[in-house]
C-alpha cells in the first residue's frame, strides 16, 4: 500500500471510530452492507419511483421559492407579448415568470412536471409487477396497502401541483374537483364549502391551502410512508423468484456493498438524467399558451395529466343518472365517475390480499414469487380488472379520436358503455389461455436479454393444485 | 472498446450456458442447499479497460456539468442546452456508476438467511408484559371507560375546530343576477340586442358584480322562431324576446364553462336543433328546448335566465334563475315541474 493509501486508510478508521464512540452503529452498518438484493429487472420499478421522488423534492424546492399562492387579480406586463394587458391571478403570473424569466426556471418546472408523471407511472408499473407475481402476499400485505396509499397520495399530489398554476387548464380541473367534492351524498356541499372556504372559486385562502397541501402535507406523508415501506422491506428482506438455491427461508442476490450500491446510485443518476433531458428537450404543459383561468372561460380538447385520465374517462362514460328523492339529489352525477369509481378500484386493490387468502385458503407467508403464468386464474382476474380500469382510462381520449378520425363521439361512448363490461371478459379468457399455453410450452420471452432463469413454483400450492385439477393438466417439470 | 464488449458477451454466454446446464429441476423443497445448488460466488473482474471506461464517463459527466454553468452564464434561457448539459451530466455519471457496479468492483452472489418474523411465544410474552403494567389496578373497567370518553371528547374538540375552515352553506345559492342587471361582454361593454346574431354564441357577464362566481357567466344566443320550443311556463316575450335567450354558461354536471355551439343542427344526432356542448365531459344541452339535456352525464337542464331588451335596445336580466346554477349537491334546487326531458 502506498503512503497516501495508508494515510487515508488510517483516517477512515479514525472517522469510523469517532462515529462508533457516539452512535455505535457498527452492527447495523455491517448488516446493511451485506444486505442482499435479488437481481431482477422488475425490482427496479419501485426504485425509479423513489428516485423520481428525490428529483421532485429538489426541483420542487426551487419552484416553491418563486411561486406566489394568490388569487389576487393583476394585469400582466411581463416579457411574454401575447399576454400583455391580460387580467390574471398572481399565482398564474408567478408561474409564467418562473417559466419565461427566471434563469433555468423552465428547465426546473418542466423537469418537475415530467418527474411527477414518471413518479406515478413507475408506482403503477411496480404495483402491477407486485400484483402479478404475488409479492403482495403475507407478510407483504401490509406494505402493499402502504404502497396503494402512496399511489393515492401521488395522484392527489400531482393534481394539486398542476392546479396551483391557475392557468385555464388547471382551473377547469379544479372546478371539476369542486363538483366531485360537492357530489358526495349528504355531506358534499358542506365539505366543499369547508375546503374552498365558500362556494367556488372560494376565498383567497384557498390557494395558500392548496400550496400547503402540495408542498408540505402530502410530501411529508409520502416521506413517512416511503420510510415505512423501505423499512418493512428490509426487515422482511426482498422477495425473490424461484431459482437455483432459492428457498422460502433465504434470499439470493447481490449484496449492497459494493456492486449493488453502485448500480443503484447509477439508477438514481439515470432517472435524474432522463428527467432533466425530458425537461430540457420535450415541452410539457406550456402554461403561457393556455392563458389565465376565469370561471367563464374554458378550452376545447383539454386533457389532464395521464394519472387523472381514468377519472375523466369515468365522468364521461357515466350515463346521466342522478337519482332524486323528495327534492333531494341523492347522488349527483359526478359522484359516480369522480368518487365511486376510484373508491371502488382502490377498495378492490386494498382488499386483494385478503380476498386471495380467503379464496385459496392459503394463510402461509410467501417469500418466493410466482410467474404470472404459474397462476392462470389469478393472473386472468387481475388482467381483467386492470383492463376494466384501462378501458375507462382510454374513454378519456374518445374526443381525441373524434377530432382525429371523425368517429362520432356519441357512438363511441355508447359503444364503450357496453364494451367496458364485455372486453374484460375477453381479456380474462385470453389471459387464461395464454397462461396455460405458456405453462405447457414454457418459452422464455425474457431470457434472451435478461439472462435469468425463473423456474416455476413448486406444485405444493393449493391454488395451483386446484387450477390444474380444473384444467385437467399437470404442470410440466420445471423448464430449464 | 469493441474488444471489451466482445469479451463481455463471450463471458455472459459461457455463464448463461453453465447456469442452464445446472438448473435441472430440483426434486422437492430441501431444508438446506446442497453444495451443487449453492449459488454463492465471488469474482474480482480486475478489468483495466472497464476502469478506463468509467474514468472517461466520469470526466464526460464533469465536463457536461461545467458546460451547464457555461450555458447558464451565456444564455440562461436556452432551455434545451441547459437540459442537455444537466441531463447529460447525470446520464454520463449514471453510466459510470453502472459500468463500475458491473465490471470494476467485485461481483458477488451471496445467500442471506431470512429469520422468521413471528417467534414462538413472543406475542404471549408481549401481552403479558403489557398486562403486568396494570398489576394491582382494581377499577379497570371504570378507567378504560373514562379513557374512552376522553378520547371521544378530544375527537369532538378537533372536529369542532375543523368547522372554522369555512363558512356554513348559507351563500351557496347566491347568484348575481336579478331583474334589471345589465348584461355586458368580457370588456365590460353592455350588449345591444342587435349584436346577438343567429348562428353564434356570446358570453354575458353581470355589470357591477363579481365575474368569477359560478352564477355569473351567461350564454347568449338568438334562434329563429321555428327552433324555439320552450316549456309553456316560459312565455316567449319574457324568456326569448326576438329569439334571444340566456342560459347559465356553467355546465350542470361538473362546473366547466360551456364553449362549444353547434348551429343549425347538432351534427352527430338526428335532433334537428342547435346544441351547446361542454368541453370537459361533453354534456350536450338544447337551447331551443329550455336547456334540456340531449346527451352526456349532466343530470339537470341548463338553467335559463329571462332577458329583457330595454327601450334603447340593451340587454338586461329579466329576473333571476329559479333553480341553482352549476354542479349539483345533495340539496341543489332543481327547476319546478322538473323531469329529465325538460
Amino acid at each position: 500500500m502506498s503512503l497516501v493509501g495508508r494515510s487515508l486508510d488510517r483516517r477512515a478508521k479514525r472517522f469510523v471510530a469517532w462515529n462508533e464512540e457516539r452512535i455505535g452503529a457498527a452492527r447495523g452498518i455491517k448488516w446493511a452492507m451485506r444486505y442482499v438484493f435479488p437481481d431482477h429487472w422488475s425490482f427496479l420499478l419501485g426504485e425509479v419511483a423513489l428516485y423520481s421522488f428525490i428529483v421532485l423534492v429538489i426541483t420542487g424546492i426551487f419552484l416553491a421559492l418563486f411561486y406566489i399562492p394568490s388569487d389576487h387579480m393583476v394585469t400582466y406586463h411581463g416579457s411574454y407579448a401575447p399576454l400583455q394587458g391580460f387580467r390574471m391571478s398572481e399565482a398564474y403570473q408567478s408561474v409564467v415568470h418562473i417559466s419565461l424569466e427566471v434563469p433555468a426556471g423552465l428547465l426546473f418546472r418542466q423537469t418537475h412536471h415530467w418527474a411527477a408523471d414518471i413518479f406515478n407511472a413507475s408506482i403503477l408499473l411496480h404495483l402491477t409487477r407486485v400484483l402479478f407475481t404475488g409479492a403482495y402476499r403475507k407478510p407483504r400485505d401490509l406494505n402493499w396497502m402502504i404502497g396503494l396509499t402512496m399511489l393515492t397520495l401521488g395522484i392527489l399530489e400531482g393534481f394539486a401541483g398542476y392546479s396551483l398554476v391557475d392557468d385555464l387548464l388547471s382551473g377547469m380541473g379544479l372546478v371539476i374537483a369542486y363538483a366531485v367534492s360537492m357530489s358526495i351524498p349528504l355531506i358534499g356541499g358542506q365539505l366543499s364549502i369547508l375546503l374552498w372556504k365558500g362556494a367556488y372559486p372560494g376565498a383567497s385562502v384557498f390557494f395558500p391551502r392548496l400550496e400547503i397541501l402540495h408542498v408540505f402535507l402530502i410530501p411529508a406523508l409520502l416521506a413517512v410512508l416511503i420510510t415505512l415501506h423501505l423499512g418493512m422491506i428490509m426487515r422482511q428482506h426482498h422477495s425473490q423468484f424461484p431459482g437455483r438455491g432459492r428457498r422460502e427461508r433465504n434470499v439470493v442476490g447481490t449484496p449492497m456493498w459494493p456492486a449493488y450500491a453502485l448500480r443503484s446510485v447509477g439508477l438514481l443518476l439515470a432517472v435524474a438524467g432522463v428527467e432533466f433531458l425530458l425537461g430540457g428537450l420535450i415541452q410539457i404543459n406550456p402554461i403561457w399558451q393556455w392563458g389565465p383561468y376565469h370561471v367563464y372561460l374554458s378550452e376545447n380538447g383539454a386533457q389532464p395529466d395521464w394519472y387523472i385520465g381514468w377519472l375523466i374517462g369515468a365522468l364521461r362514460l357515466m350515463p346521466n343518472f342522478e337519482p332524486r328523492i323528495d327534492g333531494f339529489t341523492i347522488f349527483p352525477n359526478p359522484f359516480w365517475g369522480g368518487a365511486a369509481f376510484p373508491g371502488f378500484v382502490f377498495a378492490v386493490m386494498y382488499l386483494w390480499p385478503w380476498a386471495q387468502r380467503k379464496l385459496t385458503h392459503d394463510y402461509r407467508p410467501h417469500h418466493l414469487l410466482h410467474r404470472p403464468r404459474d397462476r392462470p386464474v389469478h393472473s386472468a382476474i387481475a388482467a381483467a380488472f386492470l383492463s376494466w380500469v384501462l378501458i375507462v382510462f382510454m374513454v378519456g381520449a374518445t374526443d381525441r379520436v373524434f377530432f382525429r378520425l371523425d368517429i362520432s363521439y356519441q357512438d363511441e361512448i355508447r359503444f364503450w358503455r357496453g364494451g367496458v363490461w364485455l372486453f374484460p371478459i375477453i381479456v380474462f379468457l385470453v389471459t387464461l389461455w395464454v397462461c396455460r399455453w405458456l405453462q405447457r410450452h414454457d418459452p422464455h420471452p425474457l431470457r434472451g436479454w435478461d439472462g435469468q432463469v425463473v423456474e416455476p413454483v413448486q406444485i405444493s400450492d393449493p391454488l395451483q393444485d386446484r387450477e390444474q385439477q380444473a384444467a385437467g393438466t399437470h404442470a410440466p417439470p420445471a423448464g430449464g | 472498446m469493441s474488444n471489451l464488449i466482445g469479451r463481455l458477451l463471450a463471458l455472459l454466454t459461457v455463464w448463461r450456458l453453465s447456469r442452464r446446464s445446472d438448473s435441472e429441476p430440483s426434486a422437492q423443497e430441501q431444508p438446506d442447499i446442497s453444495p451443487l445448488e449453492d449459488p454463492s460466488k465471488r469474482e474480482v473482474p480486475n478489468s483495466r479497460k472497464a476502469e478506463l471506461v468509467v474514468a472517461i464517463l466520469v470526466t464526460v459527466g464533469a465536463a457536461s456539468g461545467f458546460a451547464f454553468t457555461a450555458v447558464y452564464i451565456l444564455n440562461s434561457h436556452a432551455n434545451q442546452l441547459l437540459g442537455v448539459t444537466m441531463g447529460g451530466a447525470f446520464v454520463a455519471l449514471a453510466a459510470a456508476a453502472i459500468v463500475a457496479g458491473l465490471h470494476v468492483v467485485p461481483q458477488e452472489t451471496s445467500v442471506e438467511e431470512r429469520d422468521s418474523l413471528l417467534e414462538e411465544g413472543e406475542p404471549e410474552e408481549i401481552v403479558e408484559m403489557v398486562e403486568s403494567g396494570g398489576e394491582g389496578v382494581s377499577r379497570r373497567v371504570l378507567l378504560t371507560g373514562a379513557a374512552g370518553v376522553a378520547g371521544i371528547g378530544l375527537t369532538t374538540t378537533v372536529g369542532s375546530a375543523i368547522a372554522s375552515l369555512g363558512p356554513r352553506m348559507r351563500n351557496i345559492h347566491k347568484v348575481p343576477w336579478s331583474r334589471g342587471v345589465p348584461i355586458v361582454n368580457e370588456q365590460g361593454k353592455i350588449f345591444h340586442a342587435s349584436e346577438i346574431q343567429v348562428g353564434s354564441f356570446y358570453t354575458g357577464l353581470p355589470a357591477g358584480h363579481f365575474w368569477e362566481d359560478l352564477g355569473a357567466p351567461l350564454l347568449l344566443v338568438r334562434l329563429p322562431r321555428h327552433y324555439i320550443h320552450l316549456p309553456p311556463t316560459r312565455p316567449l316575450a319574457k324568456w326569448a324576446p326576438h329569439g334571444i335567450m340566456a342560459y347559465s354558461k356553467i355546465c350542470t354536471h361538473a362546473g366547466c364553462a360551456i364553449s362549444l355551439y353547434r348551429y343549425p343542427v347538432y351534427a352527430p344526432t338526428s335532433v334537428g336543433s342547435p346544441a351547446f356542448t361542454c368541453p370537459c365531459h361533453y354534456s350536450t344541452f338544447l337551447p331551443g328546448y329550455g336547456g334540456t339535456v340531449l346527451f352526456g352525464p349532466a343530470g339537470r337542464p341548463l338553467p335559463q335566465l329571462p332577458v329583457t331588451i330595454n327601450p334603447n335596445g340593451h340587454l338586461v336580466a329579466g329576473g333571476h334563475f329559479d333553480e341553482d346554477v352549476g354542479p349539483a349537491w345533495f340539496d341543489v334546487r332543481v327547476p319546478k315541474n322538473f323531469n329529465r326531458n325538460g
Side-chain angles (χ1 to χ4, degrees):
Chain A
M1 202 182 279
S2 70
L3 205 67
V4 179
R6 228 177 301 163
S7 148
L8 275 177
D9 189 57
R10 209 169 42 235
R11 269 158 203 259
K13 278 174 186 154
R14 220 184 293 152
F15 172 73
V16 173
W18 189 92
N19 264 310
E20 282 311 301
E21 283 176 310
R22 287 157 183 83
I23 305 166
R27 263 178 66 187
I29 291 169
K30 281 192 280 184
W31 178 82
M33 282 166 78
R34 296 302 302 164
Y35 183 90
V36 164
F37 290 86
D39 292 312
H40 196 271
W41 63 270
S42 68
F43 286 44
L44 300 183
L45 296 167
E47 284 186 40
V48 172
L50 173 68
Y51 296 146
S52 289
F53 183 75
I54 293 173
V55 173
L56 282 165
V57 169
I58 291 168
T59 52
I61 288 171
F62 181 89
L63 297 174
L65 299 177
F66 297 94
Y67 176 72
I68 303 171
S70 160
D71 67 348
H72 178 66
M73 283 287 169
V74 293
T75 306
Y76 183 76
H77 294 297
S79 65
Y80 187 59
L83 285 177
Q84 282 301 329
F86 271 60
R87 298 286 290 163
M88 57 180 63
S89 67
E90 250 181 308
Y92 178 66
Q93 192 195 33
S94 72
V95 186
V96 173
H97 174 67
I98 291 172
S99 308
L100 302 178
E101 282 143 23
V102 173
L106 184 60
L107 177 65
F108 276 81
R109 223 204 85 224
Q110 293 199 139
T111 304
H112 192 71
H113 201 124
W114 274 114
D117 282 349
I118 293 172
F119 176 68
N120 281 327
S122 51
I123 293 181
L124 186 65
L125 290 174
H126 175 60
L127 176 146
T128 311
R129 191 280 288 180
V130 167
L131 179 64
F132 277 100
T133 59
Y136 60 81
R137 291 174 300 176
K138 193 165 86 178
R140 294 179 183 76
D141 43 358
L142 195 59
N143 226 358
W144 162 260
M145 291 182 191
I146 291 178
L148 282 169
T149 311
M150 288 197 283
L151 177 58
T152 320
L153 289 174
I155 292 171
L156 258 178
E157 176 72 346
F159 179 77
Y162 74 70
S163 295
L164 280 173
V165 180
D166 203 29
D167 61 303
L168 186 47
L169 203 57
S170 84
M172 288 165 74
L174 266 182
V175 78
I176 296 170
Y178 174 78
V180 170
S181 153
M182 290 277 278
S183 75
I184 294 166
L186 277 173
I187 57 161
Q190 186 62 66
L191 175 74
S192 318
I193 298 289
L194 286 182
L195 293 175
W196 270 263
K197 199 171 193 309
Y200 192 84
S204 289
V205 295
F206 178 70
F207 273 98
R209 281 181 186 183
L210 193 63
E211 196 203 15
I212 284 296
L213 190 73
H214 180 73
V215 306
F216 175 67
L217 286 179
I218 297 180
L221 256 175
L222 277 173
V224 169
L225 292 177
I226 288 171
T227 311
L228 281 176
H229 201 70
L230 299 182
M232 245 149 106
I233 290 171
M234 293 195 76
R235 176 69 187 90
Q236 297 161 348
H237 290 270
H238 276 65
S239 57
Q240 61 186 346
F241 281 106
R244 194 162 64 105
R246 298 177 183 187
R247 297 278 174 274
E248 284 283 355
R249 299 295 307 262
N250 72 11
V251 53
V252 176
T254 308
M256 166 92 90
W257 187 256
Y260 196 86
L262 273 171
R263 287 182 223 165
S264 199
V265 167
L267 185 65
L268 163 65
L269 293 166
V271 167
V274 168
E275 284 169 0
F276 271 102
L277 283 176
L278 284 168
L281 295 177
I282 302 185
Q283 186 177 67
I284 191 161
N285 201 22
I287 50 114
W288 57 94
Q289 289 178 16
W290 307 152
Y293 173 67
H294 295 286
V295 165
Y296 52 87
L297 292 180
S298 68
E299 179 185 29
N300 299 331
Q303 291 281 315
D305 272 69
W306 76 266
Y307 45 84
I308 302 290
W310 61 315
L311 302 181
I312 202 165
L315 286 166
R316 284 178 178 175
L317 197 58
M318 189 62 203
N320 70 343
F321 179 54
E322 194 166 275
R324 258 170 281 270
I325 296 175
D326 197 23
F328 291 107
T329 305
I330 309 298
F331 296 111
N333 192 279
F335 174 74
W336 304 113
F341 170 67
F344 176 77
V345 170
F346 270 101
V348 168
M349 298 312 272
Y350 273 105
L351 293 177
W352 195 283
W354 174 82
Q356 191 264 352
R357 278 199 300 273
K358 287 281 158 194
L359 292 174
T360 58
H361 303 291
D362 179 4
Y363 298 94
R364 295 168 305 171
H366 290 276
H367 298 287
L368 282 181
L369 304 175
H370 55 73
R371 296 176 303 175
R373 76 184 68 166
D374 298 325
R375 285 209 173 70
V377 174
H378 177 270
S379 295
I381 295 172
F385 181 70
L386 292 184
S387 74
W388 182 65
V389 181
L390 184 70
I391 290 168
V392 175
F393 170 79
M394 292 193 307
V395 168
T398 38
D399 56 336
R400 310 317 302 163
V401 175
F402 164 62
F403 291 133
R404 290 276 162 87
L405 306 176
D406 208 25
I407 300 170
S408 154
Y409 177 83
Q410 303 195 358
D411 290 346
E412 283 183 67
I413 291 292
R414 288 195 190 101
F415 174 78
W416 287 117
R417 276 176 187 163
V420 75
W421 304 110
L422 180 67
F423 279 83
I425 298 175
I426 298 172
V427 169
F428 176 86
L429 295 172
V430 169
T431 313
L432 202 61
W433 182 84
V434 169
C435 286
R436 296 222 160 111
W437 187 88
L438 285 170
Q439 273 191 332
R440 250 172 286 135
H441 297 86
D442 204 45
H444 256 290
L446 301 182
R447 191 182 292 160
W449 54 279
D450 180 43
Q452 288 262 338
V453 180
V454 173
E455 291 170 10
V457 173
Q458 308 282 327
I459 27 176
S460 60
D461 195 300
L463 178 64
Q464 212 195 354
D465 287 351
R466 218 177 312 153
E467 282 181 8
Q468 272 150 8
Q469 277 160 19
T473 59
H474 271 281
Chain B
M1 187 69 198
S2 65
N3 191 7
L4 173 75
I5 293 170
R7 274 190 206 177
L8 284 172
L9 279 177
L11 200 76
L12 209 66
T13 317
V14 170
W15 177 63
R16 233 183 245 166
L17 283 175
S18 70
R19 286 195 63 150
R20 205 167 292 183
S21 60
D22 284 351
S23 59
E24 287 303 307
S26 52
Q28 275 300 317
E29 285 267 359
Q30 290 163 351
D32 291 303
I33 299 167
S34 63
L36 194 79
E37 275 220 309
D38 187 357
S40 322
K41 62 175 165 45
R42 184 182 161 93
E43 289 161 16
V44 181
N46 207 355
S47 159
R48 292 179 67 86
K49 273 184 188 162
E51 285 169 30
L52 183 66
V53 171
V54 171
I56 291 168
L57 284 169
V58 170
T59 316
V60 169
S64 193
F66 290 129
F68 176 85
T69 311
V71 174
Y72 184 91
I73 292 167
L74 293 172
N75 179 4
S76 62
H77 294 290
N79 193 52
Q80 280 96 337
L81 278 179
L82 289 172
V84 167
T85 48
M86 173 86 96
F90 280 127
V91 168
L93 293 175
I98 291 166
V99 172
L102 290 172
H103 304 299
V104 174
V105 297
Q107 296 298 297
E108 196 177 350
T109 297
S110 73
V111 180
E112 199 174 6
E113 292 303 313
R114 258 180 237 281
D115 50 350
S116 75
L117 299 165
L118 170 68
E119 295 290 350
E120 197 78 34
E122 294 275 30
E124 291 79 3
E125 204 178 312
I126 289 173
V127 171
E128 274 164 28
M129 280 172 76
V130 170
E131 281 176 349
S132 71
E135 208 179 331
V137 179
S138 49
R139 295 186 162 177
R140 256 185 230 195
V141 177
L142 177 73
L143 288 174
T144 316
V149 173
I152 295 167
L154 281 178
T155 314
T156 321
T157 320
V158 175
S160 316
I162 287 175
S164 35
L165 287 179
R168 299 226 208 106
M169 289 182 63
R170 250 176 265 123
N171 292 333
I172 202 165
H173 302 286
K174 226 184 90 195
V175 162
W177 295 104
S178 59
R179 175 185 280 279
V181 174
I183 305 174
V184 299
N185 65 15
E186 286 169 50
Q187 281 71 47
K189 194 177 150 292
I190 187 162
F191 274 108
H192 195 270
S194 62
E195 291 173 60
I196 310 297
Q197 301 283 324
V198 168
S200 193
F201 83 89
Y202 304 83
T203 299
L205 293 158
H209 287 84
F210 187 49
W211 289 357
E212 305 290 338
D213 275 337
L214 286 183
L218 296 179
L219 285 165
L220 298 169
V221 278
R222 187 199 287 262
L223 291 184
R225 179 67 191 86
H226 63 273
Y227 277 139
I228 303 177
H229 310 277
L230 295 183
T233 50
R234 297 180 188 173
L236 295 193
K238 200 178 169 220
W239 296 78
H242 297 279
I244 295 176
M245 287 175 286
Y247 289 94
S248 163
K249 197 183 177 182
I250 301 303
C251 181
T252 56
H253 174 238
C256 293
I258 290 167
S259 60
L260 294 163
Y261 181 48
R262 292 296 171 87
Y263 184 91
V265 168
Y266 186 64
T269 69
S270 54
V271 180
S273 179
F276 291 129
T277 300
C278 174
C280 282
H281 311 103
Y282 295 92
S283 291
T284 302
F285 306 89
L286 299 175
Y289 291 81
T292 308
V293 179
L294 172 71
F295 179 80
R300 290 158 34 235
L302 213 51
Q304 191 178 0
L305 184 76
V307 272
T308 306
I309 302 172
N310 70 12
N312 51 21
H314 287 140
L315 295 184
V316 298
H320 51 80
F321 290 110
D322 7 313
E323 61 210 270
D324 278 322
V325 163
W329 72 98
F330 188 71
D331 192 17
V332 68
R333 279 198 320 235
V334 298
K336 288 178 191 116
N337 308 321
F338 173 77
N339 72 63
R340 186 161 297 146
N341 300 314

